[in-house]
Amino acid sequence: QVQLVESGGGLVQAGGSLRLSCAASGRTFSSYAMGWFRQAPGKEREFVAAISWSGGSTYFANSMKGRFTASRDNAKNTVYLQINSLKPEDTAVYYCAASPRHLPIPTASYEYAYWGQGTQVTVSS
Protein backbone atom coordinates (compact mmCIF):
# COMPACT_ATOMS: atom_id res chain seq x y z
CA GLN A 1 0.00 0.00 0.00
CA VAL A 2 1.28 3.43 -0.91
CA GLN A 3 -0.24 6.71 0.18
CA LEU A 4 0.55 9.82 -1.80
CA VAL A 5 0.19 13.46 -0.80
CA GLU A 6 0.80 16.26 -3.28
CA SER A 7 1.76 19.79 -2.38
CA GLY A 8 3.18 22.90 -3.98
CA GLY A 9 0.23 24.02 -6.04
CA GLY A 10 -1.14 27.53 -5.95
CA LEU A 11 -1.94 30.66 -7.88
CA VAL A 12 0.83 31.93 -10.12
CA GLN A 13 1.11 34.42 -12.93
CA ALA A 14 1.76 33.32 -16.46
CA GLY A 15 5.47 32.92 -17.05
CA GLY A 16 6.15 31.86 -13.50
CA SER A 17 7.30 28.52 -12.15
CA LEU A 18 6.13 25.98 -9.65
CA ARG A 19 7.59 22.85 -8.17
CA LEU A 20 5.05 20.27 -7.15
CA SER A 21 5.97 17.63 -4.62
CA CYS A 22 4.47 14.25 -3.94
CA ALA A 23 5.35 12.58 -0.68
CA ALA A 24 4.83 8.85 -0.43
CA SER A 25 4.41 6.61 2.57
CA GLY A 26 5.71 3.09 2.72
CA ARG A 27 9.10 1.48 2.51
CA THR A 28 8.71 0.31 -1.08
CA PHE A 29 8.52 3.72 -2.74
CA SER A 30 11.68 3.10 -4.72
CA SER A 31 10.10 0.07 -6.38
CA TYR A 32 7.40 2.15 -8.08
CA ALA A 33 7.46 4.18 -11.22
CA MET A 34 5.82 7.52 -10.52
CA GLY A 35 3.62 9.54 -12.77
CA TRP A 36 2.04 12.96 -12.93
CA PHE A 37 -1.37 13.60 -14.45
CA ARG A 38 -3.57 16.65 -14.58
CA GLN A 39 -7.23 17.40 -15.03
CA ALA A 40 -8.51 20.78 -16.13
CA PRO A 41 -12.12 21.84 -15.53
CA GLY A 42 -14.44 20.12 -17.96
CA LYS A 43 -11.67 18.00 -19.43
CA GLU A 44 -10.48 14.46 -19.00
CA ARG A 45 -7.43 13.63 -16.96
CA GLU A 46 -4.29 13.65 -19.07
CA PHE A 47 -0.82 12.26 -18.68
CA VAL A 48 1.91 14.78 -17.95
CA ALA A 49 5.11 12.96 -17.03
CA ALA A 50 6.52 9.80 -15.54
CA ILE A 51 9.77 8.77 -13.96
CA SER A 52 11.25 5.33 -13.48
CA TRP A 53 11.83 3.76 -10.10
CA SER A 54 15.49 4.78 -10.11
CA GLY A 55 14.90 8.23 -11.53
CA GLY A 56 17.15 7.35 -14.43
CA SER A 57 14.44 7.56 -17.05
CA THR A 58 11.72 10.10 -17.60
CA TYR A 59 8.96 10.44 -20.13
CA PHE A 60 6.79 13.42 -20.97
CA ALA A 61 3.66 13.97 -22.97
CA ASN A 62 4.59 15.67 -26.22
CA SER A 63 2.88 18.91 -25.27
CA MET A 64 4.78 18.97 -21.96
CA LYS A 65 8.29 18.59 -23.30
CA GLY A 66 10.59 21.48 -22.60
CA ARG A 67 8.74 23.15 -19.73
CA PHE A 68 8.27 20.19 -17.40
CA THR A 69 10.91 18.31 -15.45
CA ALA A 70 10.35 15.26 -13.27
CA SER A 71 12.69 14.06 -10.57
CA ARG A 72 12.61 11.93 -7.46
CA ASP A 73 14.47 11.47 -4.23
CA ASN A 74 14.02 7.91 -3.05
CA ALA A 75 15.74 8.67 0.25
CA LYS A 76 12.95 11.17 0.96
CA ASN A 77 10.16 9.13 -0.64
CA THR A 78 9.33 12.16 -2.75
CA VAL A 79 8.80 12.85 -6.42
CA TYR A 80 8.81 16.30 -7.95
CA LEU A 81 7.37 18.04 -10.98
CA GLN A 82 8.98 21.31 -11.98
CA ILE A 83 6.89 23.46 -14.30
CA ASN A 84 8.44 26.51 -15.91
CA SER A 85 6.99 29.24 -18.12
CA LEU A 86 3.51 28.49 -16.84
CA LYS A 87 0.59 29.21 -19.12
CA PRO A 88 -3.08 29.73 -18.29
CA GLU A 89 -3.82 26.42 -20.03
CA ASP A 90 -1.70 24.68 -17.40
CA THR A 91 -4.47 25.42 -14.90
CA ALA A 92 -5.60 22.08 -13.55
CA VAL A 93 -5.56 19.76 -10.60
CA TYR A 94 -2.27 17.86 -10.68
CA TYR A 95 -2.13 14.31 -9.40
CA CYS A 96 0.78 12.04 -8.70
CA ALA A 97 0.42 8.30 -8.98
CA ALA A 98 2.46 5.17 -8.33
CA SER A 99 2.76 2.22 -10.67
CA PRO A 100 4.29 -1.20 -10.01
CA ARG A 101 5.19 -1.40 -13.70
CA HIS A 102 8.76 -0.60 -14.64
CA LEU A 103 9.65 -0.61 -18.30
CA PRO A 104 8.36 0.71 -20.53
CA ILE A 105 7.56 3.67 -18.29
CA PRO A 106 3.81 3.63 -17.72
CA THR A 107 1.86 6.52 -19.21
CA ALA A 108 -1.75 5.35 -19.00
CA SER A 109 -3.98 5.91 -15.99
CA TYR A 110 -4.90 2.24 -15.71
CA GLU A 111 -1.24 1.36 -15.18
CA TYR A 112 -1.16 3.27 -11.91
CA ALA A 113 -2.37 1.62 -8.74
CA TYR A 114 -2.17 4.45 -6.23
CA TRP A 115 -3.19 8.09 -6.51
CA GLY A 116 -2.85 11.22 -4.47
CA GLN A 117 -5.68 13.64 -3.79
CA GLY A 118 -4.31 16.27 -6.14
CA THR A 119 -3.05 19.81 -5.85
CA GLN A 120 -4.59 22.78 -7.63
CA VAL A 121 -2.48 24.86 -9.98
CA THR A 122 -4.04 28.08 -11.24
CA VAL A 123 -2.22 30.27 -13.73
CA SER A 124 -3.46 33.80 -14.24
CA SER A 125 -2.89 35.68 -17.47
Side-chain angles (χ1 to χ4, degrees), residues 4 23 85 89:
L4 305 171
S85 302
E89 50 264 42

Side-chain angles (χ1 to χ4, degrees), residues 33-37 47-52 57-61 70-72 79 81 97 105-108 112:
M34 297 298 295
W36 287 95
F37 293 77
F47 170 76
V48 175
I51 185 167
S52 63
S57 297
T58 54
Y59 188 86
F60 299 89
S71 60
R72 67 190 294 165
V79 63
L81 183 70
I105 294 179
T107 61
Y112 287 83

